[in-house]
Amino acid sequence: DWRLPSINELRSIIDISKTSPALVDAFTKSSSSYYWSSSTYEDSKSDAWGVNFYSGDVDSRYMGNGDKGDFNYVRCVRDGQ
């Protein structure tokens, strides 16, 4: 039932008026770090999109090199029933 969110789902919880973390109020206890999405980066199938929740930046480049083999945080989601 659990899955990684798409990059659009992660974007939906960003609040760019905030930093450390740049998240809507419901997620204030989250780590201000890099989080993976399930979305593959178009220019390189071995890279994935992610979000830097310290600043709210969205790009594979902000994930280091964005390689899917790198270690970063994940936020799992579950579809409603």
Side-chain angles (χ1 to χ4, degrees):
D1 294 292
W2 293 95
R3 62 179 176 77
L4 286 181
S6 71
I7 194 61
N8 290 332
E9 289 172 313
L10 286 179
R11 279 186 180 127
S12 73
I13 62 171
I14 293 172
D15 183 344
I16 59 170
S17 71
K18 299 177 181 177
T19 59
S20 190
L23 289 163
V24 296
D25 289 337
F27 298 100
T28 56
K29 302 259 187 225
S30 296
S31 175
S32 296
S33 194
Y34 302 102
Y35 285 78
W36 286 120
S37 79
S38 63
S39 303
T40 297
Y41 197 63
E42 296 85 12
D43 293 339
S44 174
K45 298 301 180 197
S46 64
D47 293 349
W49 284 91
V51 174
N52 176 346
F53 279 128
Y54 178 84
S55 62
D57 290 324
V58 178
D59 196 338
S60 74
R61 293 172 292 182
Y62 294 108
M63 302 289 291
N65 64 5
D67 188 277
K68 292 178 181 178
D70 290 347
F71 290 99
N72 288 302
Y73 284 88
V74 295
R75 177 179 302 281
C76 294
V77 296
R78 188 175 188 178
D79 295 324
Q81 295 187 23

